[in-house]
Amino acid sequence: MSAGEKRVSRGLDTPFEERLFQRVLLLVPLAGLALFFLYPLSIVVWRSFQQGDGTTGLGNYREILGLDHLWRVVSNSLVMSGLTAVICVGLGLVIAYALSRTRIPLRWLVTLALILPLLAPSLVQALGLIFMFGRNGLLTSLLGVQVQIYGLPGLVIANSLYALPQAVMILAVALRHADRRQYDAALVLGASPWRRFVDITLPGLRFGLLSAGFVCFTVTITDFGNAAVIGGNYRVLASEIYAQVVGQMNFNMGAVVGILLLIPTLLAFYLEKVAGLRGGSSEGAIPVEPDRWAPRDIPLWILTHLTALFVIAIVAVVIFASFVQLWPYRMSLTLKNYNITTQGGYDPLWTSLYASLITAVFGTAMLFALVLAQRKMPGWSARLVYLLAIVPVGVPGLVLGLSYVLSFNVRPVFPGILYGSALLIAFCNFYHYHSQGFLTMVTGIRNVPQPLEETVTTIGGGLWANLRDAVIPIMVPTLISVFFFLFMRGMVTLSAVIFLITPKLSVGAVSVMRLDQAGSSTQAAAFAVLIMITVLAAMGLMRLLLIWQSRRSRARAAG
């Protein structure tokens, strides 16, 4: 390599302003990760070693590991999440296969069922189960049969409904990676449909099945909403952290339980990543087209549609309950449940909107800056930034929220001045979903054609022209998707922000939980419906913007 080529590879011939801009693009997002992710987590670890007498040591760990009920709580969490993962993977495979490999009727109904759990906080599933099967549930009153929905059964069902869409998405992607030529060869050899499924489909899905199982396990073992509403006396790690911090104000012991919750989550995250890497698609694969075979299709369709109808019914009963006069004694319809004056009235909803908008704007800008900087870096440093950017996905929202309390609930100087503000809630939500947004950005920026950038550079365009004419036009759909993803997740998140609530500041998801705990279950349903309407409107707006952008791009290409 000549001296000139070395100077170019090191960026020495790049104008100073561009080099400075590239450094800012990298250092600002990394500073955010350090301050709002690495620093709070380090405080959790430190506080877990701080003992009651002010010294440091393993006393907290010895004390909590010596508690008889802790091992029951750990066992409960593992059993609940394990059962949920098995159910989600089983039903997810059925639904994903029906959607991908058969010509299923009423596809829109199944799609609707998969969207609904994403529109509301996780506890809405638990709330719907109580309205349907609880002591005063709709079916309980109609049939006169008491169903034990509280505790483990309710937790498993509610968490399964919540995590099922993620399992379906992972397995649908895995099914799309299959190569039709393998099935054609098996058909020529006389293999029956069942034989083709056992010998080709299942082996090709093994890593997708593992990935879906680990994701569902991680999502449910860290969820607090369903445990708070329908868990009853069945205590899990998420409710134990809440009891230690809020109930007993024992932050050090809460940090210890947070570390215990972090261990299985990080392990599941690592195994899921390994499974995902080994289960990549094969180059040049020809997609498998859906076909018809009644002995296979009819059972798949029945189970898929029954599952979809059950999911829709659980959400529909929450919507119905929000209009009921006095559940279940006076079932006449009214709008009075939407006149919410307790628990801060509608202020938490406006706080959620404000914080979610900050999350979306700030998060989209930071992620875009990070991927722009990362793609210009040499191999080893780019991989290091990539690893740092995806690590937050392995940290449960409950642990991240606890770390924020321990880090920012300090004297009123920076960063303590942020505590009790919507801004801190926005930061917590963003770094909770940092990894998913980053991976989406990385996928989007890989779609920017290298020849297009080279053309802009060849005609004398610098960094700004490259961004304006090559990168941003291609990245607009990705930027829109990440913006609305962060906004919608910010509206429904509960676990990550439950510890950041103050007497003067709350958010919508927490208000739903508090209204239910106060006995105002129909008002809790009304508040949940408003959150769902807000998220649904955001989803519709995102869809319209993407359609508009697509038409604009086609018109520009045609012109």
Side-chain angles (χ1 to χ4, degrees):
M1 182 182 291
S2 66
E5 290 173 334
K6 289 181 180 179
R7 288 180 58 83
V8 171
S9 67
R10 294 174 184 173
L12 298 179
D13 287 340
T14 305
F16 172 76
E17 294 82 2
E18 294 189 9
R19 294 203 307 272
L20 177 62
F21 181 66
Q22 289 172 353
R23 290 192 178 96
V24 170
L25 288 179
L26 176 64
L27 293 178
V28 172
L30 290 183
L33 274 169
L35 178 59
F36 295 106
F37 178 69
L38 296 178
Y39 166 68
L41 282 186
S42 67
I43 296 298
V44 169
V45 176
W46 171 250
R47 287 293 294 269
S48 71
F49 292 105
Q50 283 191 325
Q51 302 174 144
D53 58 2
T55 61
T56 58
L58 298 175
N60 292 330
Y61 287 89
R62 285 193 297 266
E63 180 181 346
I64 203 164
L65 293 176
L67 297 177
D68 292 336
H69 82 278
L70 175 71
W71 299 108
R72 184 173 68 254
V73 168
V74 172
S75 175
N76 288 347
S77 296
L78 295 176
V79 169
M80 179 270 297
S81 297
L83 289 174
T84 301
V86 170
I87 292 172
C88 286
V89 169
L91 283 177
L93 177 58
V94 169
I95 297 172
Y97 196 93
L99 291 173
S100 303
R101 299 292 176 83
T102 74
R103 303 182 187 277
I104 185 171
L106 300 177
R107 177 183 290 267
W108 64 268
L109 186 71
V110 183
T111 303
L112 174 63
L114 294 175
I115 290 175
L116 285 177
L118 306 176
L119 300 180
S122 61
L123 55 83
V124 167
Q125 282 72 41
L127 202 59
L129 288 174
I130 292 174
F131 281 128
M132 189 75 78
F133 302 106
R135 299 182 184 94
N136 295 316
L138 191 63
L139 289 183
T140 303
S141 302
L142 292 176
L143 303 178
V145 178
Q146 187 72 43
V147 179
Q148 180 51 262
I149 198 65
Y150 301 94
L152 179 61
L155 269 176
V156 170
I157 297 173
N159 283 327
S160 296
L161 297 178
Y162 179 60
L164 181 61
Q166 301 187 56
V168 173
M169 286 187 285
I170 293 171
L171 292 172
V173 170
L175 284 167
R176 285 198 293 269
H177 289 166
D179 193 337
R180 191 181 70 192
R181 289 170 294 191
Q182 294 179 318
Y183 291 88
D184 293 341
L187 185 62
V188 170
L189 294 174
S192 65
W194 173 251
R195 202 70 252 166
R196 294 197 295 271
F197 177 77
V198 172
D199 293 341
I200 301 175
T201 304
L202 279 183
L205 282 176
R206 62 188 184 276
F207 297 116
L209 292 170
L210 286 172
S211 182
F214 291 136
V215 166
C216 293
F217 180 89
T218 302
V219 166
T220 55
I221 200 173
T222 61
D223 179 71
F224 174 72
N226 286 324
V229 173
I230 205 171
N233 294 325
Y234 192 86
R235 300 184 68 174
V236 292
L237 281 169
S239 56
E240 182 67 17
I241 294 179
Y242 187 77
Q244 289 288 341
V245 174
V246 176
Q248 302 180 31
M249 298 300 292
N250 193 338
F251 289 94
N252 292 344
M253 296 299 282
V256 174
V257 180
I259 297 297
L260 295 179
L261 182 60
L262 193 59
I263 293 172
T265 305
L266 287 176
L267 178 61
F269 164 68
Y270 170 74
L271 295 174
E272 187 272 330
K273 284 300 173 187
V274 172
L277 290 174
R278 297 188 65 184
S281 60
S282 57
E283 293 293 334
I286 301 176
V288 180
E289 296 295 330
D291 58 3
R292 296 183 183 275
W293 188 51
R296 174 203 63 191
D297 295 348
I298 293 176
L300 285 178
W301 293 350
I302 291 174
L303 188 53
T304 297
H305 284 123
L306 285 177
T307 303
L309 289 173
F310 183 73
V311 174
I312 293 172
I314 293 301
V315 177
V317 76
V318 174
I319 299 174
F320 173 68
S322 71
F323 295 101
V324 169
Q325 186 85 19
L326 181 62
W327 187 279
Y329 307 106
R330 297 172 60 186
M331 302 296 283
S332 56
L333 301 182
T334 180
L335 290 175
K336 74 169 189 176
N337 293 320
Y338 287 85
N339 183 25
I340 301 171
T341 56
T342 59
Q343 302 297 333
Y346 284 118
D347 287 346
L349 183 62
W350 298 119
T351 302
S352 290
L353 280 168
Y354 177 58
S356 297
L357 282 172
I358 296 175
T359 300
V361 173
F362 175 79
T364 304
M366 294 286 275
L367 291 171
F368 186 47
L370 187 59
V371 296
L372 283 176
Q374 190 241 1
R375 71 197 293 256
K376 297 293 185 180
M377 298 171 66
W380 67 269
S381 55
R383 287 191 292 271
L384 182 61
V385 171
Y386 182 91
L387 177 63
L388 182 61
I390 66 170
V391 163
V393 77
V395 178
L398 207 62
V399 176
L400 186 62
L402 174 62
S403 73
Y404 271 48
V405 174
L406 300 178
S407 305
F408 299 106
N409 188 14
V410 293
R411 293 180 179 179
V413 293
F414 190 82
I417 197 172
L418 295 174
Y419 190 76
S421 68
L423 190 61
L424 188 62
I425 290 176
F427 289 157
C428 184
N429 281 331
F430 167 54
Y431 287 100
H432 184 203
Y433 295 104
H434 184 279
S435 304
Q436 296 92 321
F438 175 78
L439 291 173
T440 304
M441 282 285 189
V442 168
T443 302
I445 208 163
R446 285 173 180 169
N447 293 327
V448 178
Q450 189 69 28
L452 179 60
E453 294 187 82
E454 293 173 355
T455 300
V456 174
T457 304
T458 300
I459 61 178
L463 175 64
W464 309 109
N466 195 20
L467 283 175
R468 183 187 67 241
D469 300 331
V471 177
I472 292 180
I474 303 297
M475 286 288 291
V476 167
T478 301
L479 294 171
I480 293 173
S481 299
V482 170
F483 177 92
F484 282 98
F485 166 76
L486 293 174
F487 175 83
M488 290 186 285
R489 298 320 298 168
M491 285 295 302
V492 302
T493 298
L494 173 64
S495 298
V497 300
I498 187 63
F499 294 131
L500 301 182
I501 302 307
T502 68
K504 296 182 179 180
L505 184 76
S506 186
V507 293
V510 175
S511 286
V512 175
M513 183 189 75
R514 287 182 170 175
L515 285 167
D516 178 67
Q517 291 175 339
S520 303
S521 56
T522 51
Q523 286 199 330
F527 213 114
V529 169
L530 293 174
I531 294 175
M532 286 190 283
I533 290 173
T534 304
V535 177
L536 188 61
M539 188 178 293
L541 180 59
M542 177 184 70
R543 181 64 179 163
L544 289 175
L545 287 174
L546 289 174
I547 292 174
W548 171 79
Q549 171 61 25
S550 176
R551 290 176 178 174
R552 185 182 178 188
S553 298
R554 287 199 299 267
R556 187 165 53 241

